[in-house]
Amino acid sequence: MTICATEDTMAPAGPLAGRLTIAADGSYAARLARHDDAAGSWFPERWTLSGPEPYAVPLQGTQPEEPDSALLPLTDGRVLILRRVADRFAASLLYPAGPGTGELLLGAVAAPRLILLPPAPGGTLAYALAPEADHTTLWRVHGGANGPEPVTRIPGRCTGGVWLDRSGRLLALDRELDGRTKTVVVDPERGGETGPLLQITEESNDRLLLADPDSGLLLVHSDAPGHGRLGWGVLGSSLPVRFPECLRPANGTATPFAVQPGQMLAPESCAVAFRMAGPNGTWLGVWRPSGRQLRQYPAPEGWLPGTGLWTADGDLLLPYATEAEPCGVARWALGVEPVEPVRAVEPVRSGEAGRSMGPMGPVRQVAPTWTAGPTGRARPMGPAPVAPAPVAPPVEPSRPVEPAEPEEAVKPEDAFKPEGAVKPDEASPAGTGSRDGAPNGAEIVPDAADADNRSTASAQLQATDAEPARAPGHPQTCRPVPLQEAPLAARQTRWSVISGPVRISGGGCAAG
């Protein structure tokens, strides 16, 4: 999934020229490119990403385009374009037709402003928002029976736009109403039925930036902790939204634009790509909820900032355009986390060979260590060569061995005494960490693991060394919990549901 969103989503939109939009299935992309003539006019350009190598096809018409024209690629290869004509917007479909460009006029929408939403799942429909002073109209620009048609009229001013499912039934919008911004969900297939989706506190401004339909991972921006912060949660989870410290870098701003798909029931394993911007330029950031740190990398030359696509295998595709290569895609294999090197085992000294050994612990199977062969392929390492042992002098004939004196018997209570055992009176009780209060009733739950890295806590469940003292008498049906349990805040997050199959329950906010 690809989305272009900023932390300040209420800022006025600038020119769309140069921005690349990727289709829902990643097969095509479209942007406004610039001619090499003296005027520097703009023209639509379609990128094909599904072939062995990407290539671009110009879709220029008889006259140059305005820099505020919006493009949206469809999965069938056509490109939707919105042009401002006087007090309305004209919608057309562009497609290659021999040496020229074909154009199919869809209709016009009379509105002071019309904003194309991200590509809908399926790649055949197109939606747009027409915000006004006290309401916003959701338009189905392409896919209707008779051209552009209104779907619903939503009270308040709506921005954003994130799809929550693969069927195109759940569209999340950020609505500003009565001075507060909350996220609502709209069902375009049922007449635009609308209901609230995200509300951390009643006084906070909560926006949804990015969502993954497979794992349910949500990236949000909220001022519930006291100021604007990036946080994450899980669709359908009752656990609180977490605000990792690592998603607030000191050297710039972080804007999520792509999330790794295909991670079913594992939101903490999804990789999220960020556009990092600062005084020194633009670079790339990659973060996972389970990684607890934001890794930063230099962006490829000519990268079109804020655009990219994850594969299910963990490869990040970054489109770029340079003078030498006007249409290219850089593939970054960032799916594997670095592993700590294994230390070599010291050989046993000759003088210690005959020393008696104490009781051994449980034996664990050790995986073979891999190394690179002459052709670069990994192969298991064989045993290390052993130097030949020196020839020993002739052995004298053995003599009768005298009987040894009996050793002192070992007491039963000392036979299996564990090392480093802690007496009951020496065990320290677990403390109840202090909580830092925040305005608006929000509350951040600290994590003990944040003492070192100041980042989000691990989302994996902690393993136990022993079974609970009191097990239930009958088996209980359990459901998988994707996030680590955390105390709820003083004010519970209030989620709700529309008439769809997805239910979103709530919690407070927590510091990762």
Side-chain angles (χ1 to χ4, degrees):
M1 174 178 288
T2 304
I3 184 174
C4 299
T6 60
E7 291 194 8
D8 189 7
T9 56
M10 300 305 297
L16 302 177
R19 298 185 183 180
L20 185 72
T21 303
I22 303 177
D25 61 350
S27 57
Y28 295 97
R31 69 163 185 159
L32 284 178
R34 207 160 196 172
H35 284 290
D36 295 334
D37 54 6
S41 57
W42 299 93
F43 66 95
E45 185 180 67
R46 189 196 69 179
W47 289 28
T48 301
L49 306 178
S50 57
E53 292 185 2
Y55 63 92
V57 175
L59 298 177
Q60 53 192 359
T62 57
Q63 60 183 2
E65 303 291 344
E66 296 295 331
D68 60 349
S69 298
L71 300 178
L72 190 144
L74 305 178
T75 55
D76 58 5
R78 296 180 295 179
V79 176
L80 175 71
I81 183 170
L82 281 182
R83 301 185 180 100
R84 178 185 289 272
V85 180
D87 60 344
R88 61 189 60 219
F89 289 85
S92 300
L93 289 178
L94 305 178
Y95 54 92
T101 301
E103 182 172 347
L104 176 61
L105 181 63
L106 298 177
V109 177
R113 188 181 182 189
L114 193 63
I115 306 172
L116 274 179
L117 292 176
T124 59
L125 303 179
Y127 294 89
L129 293 177
E132 298 187 22
D134 57 349
H135 69 276
T136 300
T137 304
L138 175 64
W139 285 82
R140 185 181 290 111
V141 181
H142 173 59
N146 300 313
E149 57 185 14
V151 177
T152 186
R153 183 173 176 174
I154 307 171
R157 186 178 180 87
C158 295
T159 56
V162 178
W163 294 98
L164 302 177
D165 62 343
R166 295 291 184 189
S167 59
R169 297 290 304 273
L170 296 176
L171 172 63
L173 299 174
D174 300 327
R175 179 177 66 177
E176 182 184 5
L177 185 64
D178 298 333
R180 299 294 178 187
T181 302
K182 305 294 181 182
T183 302
V184 297
V185 62
V186 182
D187 187 353
E189 299 298 328
R190 297 192 59 177
E193 188 175 351
T194 307
L197 176 71
L198 174 63
Q199 177 175 295
I200 298 180
T201 65
E202 295 182 357
E203 294 82 9
S204 61
N205 295 292
D206 312 315
R207 300 180 178 93
L208 181 62
L209 302 181
L210 195 63
D212 176 45
D214 297 332
S215 64
L217 178 65
L218 304 177
L219 272 295
V220 303
H221 181 273
S222 175
D223 58 2
H227 52 274
R229 294 281 298 274
L230 288 175
W232 70 282
V234 178
L235 188 67
S237 174
S238 61
L239 298 180
V241 176
R242 297 184 177 274
F243 297 91
E245 191 69 22
C246 65
L247 295 185
R248 190 173 58 170
N251 56 348
T253 59
T255 303
F257 65 88
V259 61
Q260 181 183 2
Q263 306 298 310
M264 296 293 182
L265 300 179
E268 63 277 353
S269 301
C270 289
V272 182
F274 289 82
R275 173 190 175 183
M276 311 295 297
N280 298 328
T282 303
W283 62 98
L284 182 67
V286 176
W287 169 81
R288 286 182 176 86
S290 61
R292 304 171 61 181
Q293 60 179 323
L294 179 63
R295 301 181 181 273
Q296 303 182 29
Y297 306 92
E301 181 183 0
W303 176 45
L304 303 176
T307 57
L309 184 68
W310 282 101
T311 66
D313 298 332
D315 294 344
L316 180 60
L317 308 181
L318 299 177
Y320 65 91
T322 61
E323 295 182 0
E325 193 172 0
C327 176
V329 175
R331 179 182 291 267
W332 286 35
L334 303 175
V336 180
E337 295 288 345
V339 182
E340 295 292 337
V342 181
R343 295 182 297 177
V345 180
E346 299 182 359
V348 181
R349 300 179 182 179
S350 58
E352 300 176 353
R355 188 175 59 184
S356 59
M357 301 177 62
M360 298 177 59
V363 179
R364 299 179 180 179
Q365 184 178 2
V366 180
T369 305
W370 298 84
T371 182
T375 59
R377 303 185 63 179
R379 57 182 178 86
M381 295 180 60
V386 181
V391 180
V395 182
E396 298 181 359
S398 59
R399 298 177 181 179
V401 180
E402 298 179 359
E405 297 180 1
E407 297 181 357
E408 184 179 356
V410 181
K411 298 180 180 181
E413 58 271 13
D414 296 335
F416 299 96
K417 184 177 182 180
E419 298 183 1
V422 180
K423 299 179 180 181
D425 54 355
E426 296 178 358
S428 58
T432 62
S434 62
R435 300 182 178 179
D436 299 331
N440 304 333
E443 194 172 37
I444 297 179
V445 181
D447 195 321
D450 285 345
D452 299 333
N453 50 27
R454 297 171 57 83
S455 61
T456 180
S458 173
Q460 304 292 339
L461 297 177
Q462 301 295 332
T464 57
D465 297 334
E467 296 192 4
R470 295 181 180 180
H474 300 280
Q476 298 179 353
T477 303
C478 300
R479 61 180 180 87
V481 180
L483 298 178
Q484 178 185 0
E485 188 67 27
L488 298 179
R491 295 197 176 193
Q492 305 291 330
T493 302
R494 187 173 63 189
W495 309 78
S496 64
V497 60
I498 66 168
S499 57
V502 176
R503 179 177 298 275
I504 303 175
S505 53
C509 61

